[in-house]
Amino acid sequence: MSVLVYVEQVDGKFKKSVFEAVSYAKAIADKQDGNLIAISIGNVEESELKELGKYGVSKILNVSNDQLKNFVNQAYASIIAEAAKKESAEVVVLSSSFSGKGLAPRVAVKLEAGLADGAVELPVLDGGKFLIKKTAFSGKAFAISELTSAVKVIALNPNAFGVKESAVDAAIEAFSPEIKSTDLNAIVKEIVRATNKVSLPDAELVVSAGRGLKGPENWGMIEELAGLLGAATACSKPVSDADWRPHSEHVGQTGIAISPNLYIAIGISGAIQHLAGVSSSKVIVVINKDPEAPFFKVADYGIVGDAFEVVPKLIEALKAHKG
Amino acid sequence: MQKDNLSLSSLITFKNKFISMKILVCISNVPDTTTKITFTNDNTQFNTAGVQYIVNPYDEIALSRAIELCEGGKGTVTVLNVGESQTDPTIRKALAIGADDAVRVNAAPRDAYFVAYQIAEYVKSTDFDIILCGRESIDYNGSQVAAMVGEFLDIPSISIIKKLDYDGTTATIEREIEGGKEVISVTGKFIASCSEGTAEPKIPNMRGIMSARTKPLQVIEAKEIAQVTKVQQFETPPARGAVKLIPAEETEKLIDLLHQEAKVI
Ligand SMILES: Cc1cc2nc3c(=O)[nH]c(=O)nc-3n(C[C@H](O)[C@H](O)[C@H](O)COP(=O)(O)OP(=O)(O)OC[C@H]3O[C@@H](n4cnc5c(N)ncnc54)[C@H](O)[C@@H]3O)c2cc1C
Ligand SMILES: Nc1ncnc2c1ncn2[C@@H]1O[C@H](COP(=O)(O)O)[C@@H](O)[C@H]1O
C-alpha cells in the first residue's frame, strides 16, 4: 500500500503547509504499513527535496521541467494522477492551498476517486469504511465523509495537523511523464507576491480589525501589532467592501476561513457570518468597546475598551515582553 | 499550416462580429448566511426546518460578472442548478438578477462529483463559450465542482479568481495565491470559480423580478454515475469556555496569559 503526497513548491521552496501535508500523509501510510512517496513539480534543488526525508518521505518523484516552473493546473493534475497510477497509490494527499483547491478535484476525477477537501483530522478506518472529518457550513460544523472509491484524495486544511519529524533517507527519482499540449492552455503571465508579508490562510497568528477602527488611516497600529507578533492581518467584510483593506484579507463565511493558533479581533462585532470563518481558531482574543458585543461569547480572552487606547498599550506591553 | 491559421483567425473575427457569446453560470442553493446550523436524525441530516435558502453568495458574484460581460447584447447568460424542484425559487432569483434562461438538472445534489458530472454532461450537449462557478458553496464548502467540471470536459479550470476580462475568445484572469495574485491568459473554452472582487453582486430590480416569472426554465433528468463519497454524520464545534476579561489598563496581563497560559506567543 502506498500514499502519494503532492509537495507544492513556491519559488523552489517548500512552505510549512507542505511539511504538514507530508506529516499527515506519513501518519496515514504508517497506519496501513505503507510507504510514502512525494511528487514535486517545478525546479526544486536537491537539497530542498532532501528536506522531505525528515518527515518520512522514502521516495521523491521529481518532475523538473522549465515549462512547468509556474503552476499550470491541468498539467500538474495530469502529472499527479500519473504518479499515483505508477505507484499504485491508494491515498493521495495535497494541502488545501489556493493551488491545491484547484488541483485536488481534477486529480480526483482522473483517478475516479472520492475527495475530501478541508480535512482536519486523520482518516478513521472503521469496518472497511474510510471516514474523514472535514469542515462544512463555513466552519459552523464538520462533516464525517465516507470515501467509497478505491482511490481516495484528501486536501488537508492548513494548521490542522502539526508537523512531525520521522527521518528516513529519501531517494530522488526523476519523473518525466508526457505532457499534452492542451494541458498547457492556461498561461501564467505574471505573479505578484508580497514576500515580506505572512500569508493569511496558513498564518499561525492573525490580527484582524473591523469597522470599529473608523477608517483605513487607522490601520497603522494594526500592522504594527501584527508585525511585532509576526502575524498576518485580516479584516471583516464591510472593511474590505469599503476598500479600506484588500479583499484577500476578508475572513468569514464569504471570505477566507482560517484556523490560526491565535486570532485577535479588534473592533469587530462578531456577526454569525464573521464567526463562521474564524471560530475554529485555537485561541480568540476580542477587543471591543461594547461589553455586549456578540464576539465576547466565543472569545477566550477579552478586553472591553476603546481600541485607540488599548491597542497602543498592547503594543507597548508586547515590546516590553520581547524586551 | 499557414492557411489553417488564417482561416481560424478569420473565423474568430467573424464570430466576434456576428455571433454573441454564451456564458453558463452554475448556481447552488444554500442556507441563508444567518442560519444557525443544526442537525437531526442522530446528526446525520442537516435540519432544514425554518431555513431560508438563497443563491450561493459567490455564485451571485459569478452571475453578476457574466451579466456585465454580456451587457449591450454581447451575449446571453444561462444559469444551471442541479437540484430538486424546491430550488426553483433560487433559480427564479437568478433570473431576476438578470440571467436570460435557466436549466435545472432534476436530482438531489449528492456530492460534488455527481454535480460536476451533470454539469459537464449538459455542457457537452450545448455550446457555451465559458462556464462560471462560485469559489465554493457555503454549505458543503467543497470548492470542488468547478475544477471537476473542467476535468470532465478536459478544459482549463481556474479556481478562486478575483478578476475576469473576456473578449469572446481570450480571457485575462487574476487568481488568488498565498500573499498575492497570479495573472493568467486563456484562449478558448474554460471554467473559472469566482471569488470576491470579480464583480459587485447585482440586486434584482422590479422589472427583473417581473420578467423572471416568464423566462424559460428547462428541467432535464440526471445521468447516473458511481457514488464516491457519502456523508455519514455531522458534528458541531465544541463550545468554548467563558471569556476571561482583562481590564483595559492591564494589557501586559493579556500578553502574559497568551504567553504562559495559552502558549500561543
Ligand atoms: C450574505 C452575507 C455574508 C457575509 N459574510 C461576511 C463575512 O464573510 N465576513 C464578515 O466579517 N462579515 C460578513 N457579513 C457581514 C456581517 O453580517 C457583519 O455585518 C460584519 O461582520 C460586521 O463587521 P464589523 O464587525 O467590522 O462591523 P460592525 O458590526 O459595525 O461592528 C463594529 C464593532 O466595533 C466596535 N467598536 C466601535 N468603535 C470601537 C472602538 N473605538 N474600539 C473598540 N471597538 C469599537 C463596536 O462596538 C462594534 O462591535 C456578511 C453579511 C451577509 C449578509
Ligand atoms: N447543486 C449545484 N448545482 C449547480 N452548481 C453547483 C451546485 N453545487 C455547486 N455548484 C457550483 O460549484 C461551485 C462550488 O461548489 P462546491 O464545490 O460545492 O464548493 C458553486 O459556487 C456553484 O457555482
Side-chain angles (χ1 to χ4, degrees):
Chain A
M1 185 276 172
S2 61
V3 176
L4 182 76
V5 59
Y6 165 61
V7 288
E8 176 181 343
Q9 51 92 12
V10 176
D11 293 332
K13 295 272 177 278
F14 299 128
K15 288 188 311 179
K16 197 192 88 199
S17 56
V18 166
F19 300 120
E20 288 172 356
V22 171
S23 305
Y24 178 85
K26 171 67 177 164
I28 298 176
D30 282 352
K31 258 193 184 185
Q32 303 184 52
D33 284 327
N35 53 332
L36 176 61
I37 298 142
I39 170 91
S40 168
I41 309 171
N43 301 334
V44 184
E45 301 267 334
E46 197 179 310
S47 58
E48 185 73 6
L49 288 173
K50 284 278 181 195
E51 281 291 295
L52 299 169
K54 276 194 198 154
Y55 308 95
V57 173
S58 53
K59 182 160 90 178
I60 301 157
L61 298 177
N62 182 32
V63 182
S64 182
N65 176 340
D66 270 337
Q67 266 186 312
L68 301 171
K69 207 171 63 189
N70 292 328
F71 177 72
V72 207
N73 200 15
Q74 256 176 307
Y76 275 41
S78 296
I79 292 168
I80 296 168
E82 281 308 307
K85 285 183 195 157
K86 170 174 144 45
E87 300 295 336
S88 314
E90 281 174 26
V91 181
V92 179
V93 175
L94 304 90
S95 332
S96 185
S97 61
F98 285 112
S99 298
K101 280 182 187 293
L103 271 174
R106 296 197 78 118
V107 173
V109 169
K110 282 185 191 285
L111 300 173
E112 294 177 33
L115 163 62
D117 184 285
V120 292
E121 280 177 12
L122 281 174
V124 173
L125 301 166
D126 175 16
K129 286 183 177 166
F130 190 98
L131 302 173
I132 184 140
K133 183 167 165 177
K134 56 160 295 225
T135 51
F137 296 98
S138 306
K140 290 180 190 170
F142 297 101
I144 313 287
S145 177
E146 180 187 354
L147 304 187
T148 52
S149 49
V151 178
K152 286 99 180 159
V153 179
I154 303 175
L156 176 70
N157 260 3
N159 274 325
F161 195 81
V163 171
K164 284 196 189 68
E165 297 208 3
S166 153
V168 293
D169 195 29
I172 301 173
E173 183 181 308
F175 183 50
S176 42
E178 206 179 314
I179 293 153
K180 286 192 299 177
S181 63
T182 51
D183 270 359
L184 297 166
N185 272 352
I187 303 156
V188 175
K189 293 282 181 199
E190 192 189 350
I191 297 174
V192 187
R193 193 182 277 120
T195 42
N196 57 339
K197 284 193 88 175
V198 185
S199 111
L200 183 56
D202 34 45
E204 288 181 14
L205 309 175
V206 174
V207 177
S208 185
R211 203 147 53 179
L213 278 229
K214 311 283 188 287
E217 65 282 2
N218 296 324
W219 249 261
M221 61 181 188
I222 301 300
E223 298 209 316
E224 187 177 358
L225 180 60
L228 281 169
L229 287 166
T233 48
C235 68
S236 65
K237 179 172 157 66
V239 165
S240 64
D241 282 349
D243 279 333
W244 295 358
R245 301 295 293 175
H247 279 304
S248 54
E249 283 196 2
H250 155 204
V251 290
Q253 183 151 18
T254 52
I256 304 180
I258 52 171
S259 49
N261 294 341
L262 174 63
Y263 183 74
I264 304 182
I266 303 166
I268 303 177
S269 57
I272 186 166
Q273 296 99 343
H274 184 87
L275 298 182
V278 302
S279 58
S280 60
S281 306
K282 280 157 207 114
V283 174
I284 295 179
V285 173
V286 169
I287 299 171
N288 197 305
K289 69 172 184 192
D290 174 9
E292 300 298 321
F295 221 142
F296 284 117
K297 292 205 177 70
V298 297
D300 299 287
Y301 302 101
I303 294 182
V304 179
D306 186 334
F308 296 100
E309 289 163 21
V310 176
V311 176
K313 273 198 211 136
L314 196 58
I315 289 171
E316 289 318 309
L318 193 58
K319 280 184 181 156
H321 168 78
K322 294 181 98 179
Chain B
M1 209 46 207
Q2 191 100 37
K3 199 159 160 252
D4 279 346
N5 275 342
L6 255 179
S7 60
L8 183 67
S9 69
S10 55
L11 202 71
I12 290 170
T13 324
F14 174 82
K15 181 170 177 272
N16 283 348
K17 259 197 198 130
F18 299 105
I19 307 171
S20 64
M21 57 180 144
K22 279 185 61 138
I23 304 181
L24 180 70
V25 180
C26 305
I27 57 167
S28 80
N29 177 56
V30 297
D32 178 40
T33 57
T34 53
T35 309
K36 189 155 172 8
I37 304 296
T38 59
F39 302 99
T40 57
N41 283 347
D42 220 7
N43 283 338
T44 57
Q45 262 162 357
F46 172 56
N47 183 3
T48 54
V51 172
Q52 290 275 355
Y53 282 84
I54 56 167
V55 179
N56 186 38
Y58 296 115
D59 306 354
E60 238 169 41
I61 295 175
L63 175 60
S64 303
R65 186 62 191 140
I67 294 167
E68 284 169 11
L69 288 168
C70 292
E71 256 159 25
K74 286 210 286 288
T76 56
V77 180
T78 302
V79 288
L80 179 152
N81 170 257
V82 179
E84 293 174 306
S85 58
Q86 65 266 33
T87 68
D88 283 349
T90 298
I91 299 175
R92 291 284 172 208
K93 167 96 187 290
L95 291 169
I97 293 173
D100 297 284
D101 62 346
V103 178
R104 180 166 61 79
V105 181
N106 187 28
R110 196 167 69 194
D111 65 4
Y113 206 90
F114 176 83
V115 169
Y117 182 72
Q118 305 309 329
I119 297 172
E121 286 298 305
Y122 172 70
V123 171
K124 281 181 191 165
S125 72
T126 50
D127 62 340
F128 290 100
D129 295 294
I130 62 172
I131 308 158
L132 300 180
C133 282
R135 75 174 267 173
E136 66 187 35
S137 52
I138 61 165
D139 48 2
Y140 293 101
N141 306 109
S143 53
Q144 302 184 2
V145 169
M148 282 183 176
V149 172
E151 187 57 43
F152 280 124
L153 294 173
D154 198 20
I155 59 172
S157 57
I158 298 110
S159 293
I160 317 192
I161 70 165
K162 39 193 209 177
K163 211 166 163 204
L164 166 65
D165 285 316
Y166 178 65
D167 66 6
T169 39
T170 298
T172 305
I173 296 172
E174 279 183 28
R175 172 178 88 90
E176 184 141 12
I177 57 174
E178 282 76 10
K181 65 174 185 187
E182 199 173 84
V183 184
I184 296 168
S185 163
V186 201
T187 301
K189 253 194 220 302
F190 67 89
I191 181 164
S193 72
C194 303
S195 177
E196 280 204 308
T198 315
E200 280 303 317
K202 287 191 192 303
I203 296 157
N205 57 24
M206 208 50 198
R207 218 182 70 212
I209 295 166
M210 297 303 286
S211 67
R213 291 189 204 152
T214 53
K215 284 180 179 171
L217 193 173
Q218 187 197 350
V219 178
I220 59 176
E221 289 311 312
K223 296 194 176 166
E224 214 19 72
I225 181 172
Q227 181 156 14
V228 288
T229 75
K230 203 154 65 187
V231 171
Q232 294 285 357
Q233 211 170 14
F234 293 100
E235 281 177 17
T236 35
R240 277 173 201 269
V243 56
K244 248 187 209 175
L245 287 179
I246 295 127
E249 313 71 56
E250 296 174 26
T251 50
E252 66 289 348
K253 205 171 147 202
L254 175 63
I255 303 288
D256 268 359
L257 286 166
L258 292 178
H259 181 60
Q260 305 209 348
E261 187 178 83
K263 298 193 168 53
V264 287
I265 62 169

